[in-house]
Amino acid sequence: MDNLTTNKSILDWVADRVALLSPDKVVWIDGSREQIEALKAEAVSTGEFIKLNEEKLPDCYLHRTDPSDVARVEGRTFICTPTREETGPLNNWMAPDETYELLDGIIKDSYKGKTMYVIPYSMGPVGSPFSKYGLEVTDSIYVVCNMDIMTRIGQPVLDAIGSSEDWIKGTHASCDCDPEKRYICQFPQDNTIYSVCSCYGGNVLQGKKCFALRIASYLGLHESWQAEHMLILGLEYPNGDIKYLCAAFPSACGKTNLAMLVPPEVYRKKGYKLWTVGDDIAWIRKGPDGRMYALNPEYGFFGVAPGTNEKSNPNALAATREGTIFTNVALNLDDNTIWWEGLDNAPENGLDWQGQPWNGKTSTEKGAYPNSRFTAPSRNCPCLSSEYENPDGVPVEAFVFGGRRAKLAPLVYQARDWNHGVFIGSSMASETTAAATGAVGVVRRDPMAMRPFIGYDCGTYFQHWLDIGKTVDVDKQPKFFNVNWFRKDDEGHFMWPGFGDNLRVLDWILKRCAGEVDAVETEIGFLPKPEDINLEGLEDEVSMDALKEMLSVDKKLWAEEAEGIEEFYDSLGSTVPAELKDQLAKLKAAVAE
Ligand code: GTP
Ligand code: SPV
Ligand code: MN
């Protein structure tokens, strides 16, 4: 096939990749449907994809990854900068030259007998002032087809790059998928990414975490913008006004669900509507009017499958009914459809996520892996915002942080100002989930839900947040909030119904932004008056007493929390901004008995 570009930097790099990887053949991904269809057919013929029931799930496929390769590997993810200090203490570090040598040694000639696919992709609509471009070479059709859903790919991207040398160089090599040789490496100074010995989404769909967060956060630091692990949603009021907010929750803590929620009936009847702009990543910058604007650089949803159902998230489910790739879910052999925990009617005649015979009625084993995922095109989402492709993004009223905290964190509270908001984000903690390898349910600090994704030093990242605030007029600054849907009672039950009912909290948040409701000032920030959270239609599920408990501040627990934050800041070293230490001192003084 002919090259699709005359860009010398691209052609030289591709030639260099060919020399290193020794593929039998090079295929440029042009973005045509015919090419993608042919690749899917090829993947079906080799067993890499299982074609699902065309009537029930048109153009949908199942893929299983190696059982050792089912989540992001934070322990094997590296930021490779000339000095250790640049990466900060939260990131793993290796020196660039040694790393290239190590990785090139592992992947040398590993494409022998295979095809090298060259994927030009854009993060953000092609041509938007926010957008950035990259190329990923891969030996995996699964990666090509996922990138096709998750990003804008092909000839228009090469045309937009033109003769520029400003694009991200990405190398993916599946090799033998050996976990001991698995490396996910970002080289921010070189605009370079390597994903080696893995085929799991977050490790190898480089547009997502590697580029749109790790590399992009580094670019944002130097270009005065932000790349955040945030959903973007719009709430439409009965009068037609739409207000947008961004929310950062750690992996598998509810971004996709919040971004697509169905308003409770009492709101729907009044004419409230919710619109999805993004479910995982936001690129944020100041607009010409001085307000902050957010854009979703992705083109699809790589969502957690288990728990997604008609009740919890009908919009996500609808998004997966066509053109979707399912990874590590169970297969229903009776009708060749898929299944995961949280759906009704577990198949009796099924295969589990590893392809073993599995009876969903009798088995005590899980059918789907807890971090099984769907890759669904955004256009399928029934509540996709009309502003989704707006090249300028949407104006942001609020930044919302949140995590899984069984105790302590109230349902919602508001920061006093920008710097206090940055303090709240910087000190977030959450229970770990199956989205990354390692123990599940352990509380750890996860600042701004970015712990695994900051492409440089954490203290410097906090400073960047503070610096951005200084560039925005106070009356145009988004307001900061913290939410917690995961508070548990003494019996271990969630106290808040969550999902669609979270709109009740968003309603309060946006009312605060509009100055339409007052609040109670406490030691930790502004809390709602319990009567200002609309419980209409929810009276049977949440009592006023329970709500009051979810909106209370336990000073003793907060004093312990402040100790934990101090320990965390100490572990981050000298770059933690003095402003945030002052915020911590204020909290400590306020909650001291
Ligand atoms: P990543 O894609 O890993 O970044 O995850 P995410 O933040 O998009 O999380 P997602 O919305 O996929 O939710 C993850 C899990 O949390 C699912 O099992 C959901 O069912 C559950 N969940 C989401 N929202 C809520 C909620 O409001 N309450 C409760 N109890 N669980 C929720
Ligand atoms: C996350 O883990 O935050 C995800 C899934 O969104 S992954 O793409 O694997 O990072
Ligand atoms: Mn995520």
Coordinates of all heavy atoms in Angstrom, one line a residue, residues 258-303:
L258 N -22.1 8.7 36.0 CA -22.6 10.0 36.2 C -22.8 10.8 34.9 O -23.7 11.5 34.7 CB -21.6 10.8 37.1 CG -22.2 12.1 37.7 CD1 -23.3 11.8 38.7 CD2 -21.1 13.0 38.3
A259 N -21.8 10.5 34.0 CA -21.8 11.3 32.7 C -23.1 10.9 31.9 O -23.5 11.7 31.0 CB -20.6 11.0 31.9
M260 N -23.7 9.8 32.2 CA -24.8 9.3 31.3 C -26.1 9.1 32.2 O -27.0 8.5 31.7 CB -24.5 8.0 30.7 CG -23.4 8.1 29.7 SD -23.0 6.5 29.0 CE -21.4 6.8 28.3
L261 N -26.2 9.7 33.3 CA -27.3 9.4 34.2 C -28.6 9.8 33.7 O -28.8 10.7 32.9 CB -27.1 9.9 35.6 CG -27.2 11.4 35.9 CD1 -28.6 11.9 35.9 CD2 -26.6 11.7 37.3
V262 N -29.6 9.0 34.1 CA -31.0 9.3 33.7 C -31.6 10.0 34.9 O -31.6 9.5 36.0 CB -31.8 8.0 33.5 CG1 -33.3 8.3 33.2 CG2 -31.2 7.3 32.3
P263 N -32.1 11.3 34.7 CA -32.6 12.0 35.9 C -33.8 11.3 36.5 O -34.5 10.6 35.8 CB -33.1 13.3 35.2 CG -32.3 13.5 34.0 CD -32.1 12.1 33.5
P264 N -33.9 11.4 37.9 CA -35.1 10.8 38.5 C -36.4 11.3 37.9 O -36.4 12.4 37.4 CB -34.9 11.2 40.0 CG -33.6 11.8 40.1 CD -33.1 12.2 38.8
E265 N -37.4 10.5 38.1 CA -38.7 10.9 37.5 C -39.2 12.3 37.8 O -39.6 13.0 36.9 CB -39.8 9.8 37.9 CG -40.9 9.8 36.9 CD -42.0 8.9 37.3 OE1 -41.8 8.1 38.2 OE2 -43.1 9.1 36.8
V266 N -39.0 12.7 39.1 CA -39.5 14.0 39.4 C -38.8 15.1 38.6 O -39.4 16.1 38.3 CB -39.3 14.4 40.9 CG1 -40.3 13.6 41.7 CG2 -37.9 14.1 41.4
Y267 N -37.6 14.9 38.3 CA -36.9 15.9 37.4 C -37.3 15.8 36.0 O -37.4 16.8 35.3 CB -35.3 15.7 37.6 CG -34.8 16.3 38.9 CD1 -34.7 15.5 40.0 CD2 -34.3 17.5 38.9 CE1 -34.2 16.1 41.2 CE2 -33.7 18.1 40.0 CZ -33.7 17.3 41.2 OH -33.2 17.9 42.4
R268 N -37.4 14.5 35.5 CA -37.7 14.3 34.1 C -39.1 15.0 33.8 O -39.2 15.6 32.8 CB -37.8 12.8 33.8 CG -36.5 12.1 33.5 CD -36.7 10.9 32.7 NE -37.7 9.9 33.2 CZ -37.5 9.0 34.1 NH1 -36.3 8.9 34.7 NH2 -38.4 8.2 34.5
K269 N -40.0 14.8 34.7 CA -41.3 15.3 34.5 C -41.3 16.9 34.3 O -42.1 17.4 33.6 CB -42.2 15.0 35.7 CG -42.9 13.6 35.5 CD -44.0 13.5 36.5 CE -44.6 12.2 36.6 NZ -45.0 11.8 38.0
K270 N -40.4 17.5 35.1 CA -40.3 18.9 35.0 C -39.5 19.4 33.7 O -39.5 20.6 33.4 CB -39.5 19.5 36.2 CG -40.4 19.4 37.5 CD -39.6 20.0 38.7 CE -40.3 19.6 40.0 NZ -39.3 19.3 41.0
G271 N -38.9 18.4 33.0 CA -38.2 18.8 31.8 C -36.7 18.9 31.9 O -36.0 19.4 31.0
Y272 N -36.1 18.4 33.0 CA -34.6 18.3 33.1 C -34.1 17.2 32.2 O -34.7 16.2 32.1 CB -34.2 18.0 34.5 CG -34.4 19.1 35.5 CD1 -35.6 19.5 36.0 CD2 -33.2 19.9 35.9 CE1 -35.8 20.5 36.9 CE2 -33.4 20.9 36.9 CZ -34.6 21.2 37.4 OH -34.8 22.2 38.3
K273 N -32.9 17.5 31.5 CA -32.3 16.5 30.7 C -30.8 16.5 31.0 O -30.2 17.6 31.2 CB -32.5 16.8 29.2 CG -33.9 16.7 28.8 CD -34.1 17.0 27.3 CE -35.5 17.0 26.9 NZ -35.8 18.0 26.0
L274 N -30.2 15.4 30.8 CA -28.8 15.3 31.0 C -28.1 14.9 29.7 O -28.5 14.0 29.0 CB -28.4 14.3 32.1 CG -27.0 14.4 32.5 CD1 -26.8 14.7 34.0 CD2 -26.2 13.2 32.1
W275 N -27.0 15.6 29.4 CA -26.2 15.4 28.2 C -24.8 15.0 28.5 O -24.1 15.7 29.3 CB -26.3 16.7 27.3 CG -27.7 17.1 26.9 CD1 -28.4 18.1 27.4 CD2 -28.6 16.4 26.0 NE1 -29.6 18.2 26.9 CE2 -29.8 17.1 26.0 CE3 -28.5 15.2 25.2 CZ2 -30.9 16.8 25.3 CZ3 -29.6 14.9 24.5 CH2 -30.7 15.6 24.5
T276 N -24.3 14.0 27.8 CA -22.9 13.5 27.9 C -22.0 14.2 27.0 O -22.2 14.1 25.8 CB -22.9 12.0 27.7 OG1 -23.9 11.4 28.4 CG2 -21.5 11.5 28.0
V277 N -20.9 14.8 27.5 CA -19.9 15.3 26.6 C -18.7 14.4 26.6 O -18.1 14.1 25.6 CB -19.5 16.8 27.0 CG1 -18.4 17.3 26.0 CG2 -20.7 17.7 27.0
G278 N -18.4 13.9 27.8 CA -17.2 12.9 27.9 C -17.4 12.1 29.2 O -18.1 12.5 30.1
D279 N -16.7 10.9 29.2 CA -16.9 10.0 30.4 C -15.6 9.7 31.1 O -15.6 9.0 32.1 CB -17.6 8.7 30.0 CG -16.7 7.7 29.4 OD1 -15.8 8.1 28.6 OD2 -16.8 6.5 29.7
D280 N -14.5 10.2 30.6 CA -13.2 9.8 31.2 C -12.1 10.9 31.2 O -11.4 11.0 32.2 CB -12.7 8.6 30.5 CG -11.6 7.8 31.4 OD1 -12.0 7.5 32.5 OD2 -10.5 7.5 30.9
I281 N -12.0 11.7 30.2 CA -10.9 12.6 30.0 C -11.4 14.0 29.6 O -12.3 14.1 28.7 CB -9.9 12.1 29.1 CG1 -9.3 10.8 29.6 CG2 -8.8 13.1 28.8 CD1 -8.3 10.0 28.7
A282 N -10.9 15.0 30.2 CA -11.2 16.4 29.8 C -9.9 17.2 29.6 O -9.0 17.1 30.4 CB -12.0 17.1 30.9
W283 N -9.9 17.8 28.4 CA -8.8 18.8 28.2 C -9.4 20.2 28.4 O -10.4 20.5 27.8 CB -8.2 18.7 26.8 CG -7.3 17.5 26.6 CD1 -7.0 16.6 27.6 CD2 -6.6 17.1 25.4 NE1 -6.1 15.6 27.1 CE2 -5.9 15.9 25.8 CE3 -6.5 17.6 24.1 CZ2 -5.0 15.3 24.8 CZ3 -5.7 16.9 23.2 CH2 -5.0 15.8 23.5
I284 N -8.8 21.0 29.3 CA -9.4 22.2 29.7 C -8.5 23.4 29.5 O -7.3 23.3 29.8 CB -9.7 22.1 31.3 CG1 -10.5 20.8 31.5 CG2 -10.3 23.3 31.8 CD1 -10.5 20.3 33.0
R285 N -9.0 24.5 28.9 CA -8.2 25.7 28.8 C -9.1 26.9 28.8 O -10.3 26.8 28.7 CB -7.4 25.6 27.5 CG -8.2 25.5 26.2 CD -7.3 25.6 25.0 NE -6.5 24.4 24.8 CZ -5.2 24.5 24.3 NH1 -4.7 25.6 23.9 NH2 -4.5 23.4 24.1
K286 N -8.5 28.1 29.0 CA -9.2 29.3 29.1 C -9.7 29.7 27.7 O -8.9 29.6 26.7 CB -8.3 30.4 29.7 CG -9.1 31.5 30.3 CD -8.2 32.4 31.2 CE -7.6 33.5 30.4 NZ -6.9 34.4 31.3
G287 N -10.9 30.1 27.6 CA -11.4 30.6 26.3 C -11.2 32.1 26.1 O -10.8 32.8 27.0
P288 N -11.6 32.6 24.9 CA -11.4 34.0 24.6 C -12.2 34.9 25.5 O -11.8 36.1 25.8 CB -11.9 34.2 23.2 CG -12.1 32.8 22.6 CD -12.1 31.8 23.8
D289 N -13.3 34.4 26.1 CA -14.1 35.2 27.0 C -13.6 35.1 28.5 O -14.3 35.7 29.4 CB -15.6 34.8 26.9 CG -15.8 33.4 27.4 OD1 -14.8 32.7 27.7 OD2 -17.0 32.9 27.4
G290 N -12.5 34.5 28.7 CA -11.9 34.4 30.0 C -12.5 33.3 30.9 O -12.0 33.1 32.0
R291 N -13.5 32.5 30.4 CA -14.0 31.4 31.1 C -13.2 30.1 30.8 O -12.5 30.1 29.8 CB -15.5 31.2 30.8 CG -16.3 32.5 31.1 CD -17.8 32.2 30.7 NE -18.4 31.2 31.5 CZ -19.6 30.6 31.2 NH1 -20.2 30.9 30.1 NH2 -20.1 29.7 32.0
M292 N -13.4 29.1 31.6 CA -12.7 27.8 31.3 C -13.6 26.9 30.5 O -14.8 26.8 30.7 CB -12.3 27.2 32.6 CG -11.3 28.1 33.3 SD -10.4 27.3 34.6 CE -9.3 26.2 33.7
Y293 N -13.0 26.3 29.5 CA -13.7 25.4 28.5 C -13.1 24.0 28.6 O -11.9 23.9 28.6 CB -13.6 26.0 27.1 CG -14.6 27.2 26.9 CD1 -14.2 28.4 27.4 CD2 -15.8 27.0 26.3 CE1 -15.1 29.5 27.3 CE2 -16.7 28.1 26.2 CZ -16.3 29.3 26.7 OH -17.2 30.4 26.6
A294 N -14.0 23.0 28.5 CA -13.5 21.6 28.5 C -13.9 20.9 27.3 O -15.0 21.1 26.8 CB -14.1 20.9 29.7
L295 N -13.0 20.0 26.8 CA -13.3 19.2 25.6 C -12.9 17.8 25.9 O -12.0 17.5 26.5 CB -12.5 19.8 24.4 CG -12.5 19.0 23.1 CD1 -12.6 20.0 21.9 CD2 -11.2 18.2 22.9
N296 N -13.8 16.9 25.3 CA -13.5 15.5 25.5 C -12.6 15.1 24.3 O -13.1 15.1 23.1 CB -14.8 14.7 25.5 CG -14.6 13.2 25.4 OD1 -13.5 12.7 25.5 ND2 -15.7 12.5 25.1
P297 N -11.4 14.7 24.5 CA -10.5 14.3 23.3 C -10.8 13.0 22.7 O -10.3 12.6 21.7 CB -9.1 14.4 23.9 CG -9.3 14.0 25.4 CD -10.6 14.6 25.7
E298 N -11.7 12.2 23.4 CA -11.9 10.8 22.9 C -13.1 10.8 21.9 O -13.9 11.8 21.7 CB -12.2 9.9 24.0 CG -11.0 9.8 25.0 CD -11.1 8.7 26.0 OE1 -11.8 8.9 27.0 OE2 -10.4 7.7 25.8
Y299 N -13.3 9.6 21.3 CA -14.4 9.4 20.3 C -15.3 8.3 20.7 O -16.2 7.9 19.9 CB -13.7 9.2 19.0 CG -14.5 9.5 17.7 CD1 -15.3 10.7 17.7 CD2 -14.4 8.8 16.6 CE1 -16.0 11.0 16.6 CE2 -15.2 9.1 15.5 CZ -16.0 10.2 15.5 OH -16.6 10.6 14.3
G300 N -15.0 7.6 21.8 CA -15.8 6.5 22.2 C -15.7 6.3 23.7 O -15.1 7.1 24.4
F301 N -16.4 5.3 24.2 CA -16.3 5.0 25.7 C -15.7 3.6 25.9 O -16.1 2.6 25.3 CB -17.8 4.9 26.2 CG -18.6 6.1 25.9 CD1 -19.7 6.0 25.1 CD2 -18.2 7.4 26.4 CE1 -20.5 7.1 24.7 CE2 -19.0 8.5 26.1 CZ -20.1 8.4 25.2
F302 N -14.7 3.6 26.7 CA -14.0 2.3 27.2 C -14.5 2.1 28.6 O -13.9 2.5 29.5 CB -12.5 2.4 27.1 CG -11.8 1.1 27.3 CD1 -12.0 0.0 26.5 CD2 -10.9 1.1 28.4 CE1 -11.3 -1.2 26.8 CE2 -10.2 -0.1 28.6 CZ -10.4 -1.2 27.8
G303 N -15.7 1.5 28.7 CA -16.4 1.5 30.0 C -16.4 0.2 30.7 O -16.2 -0.9 30.1

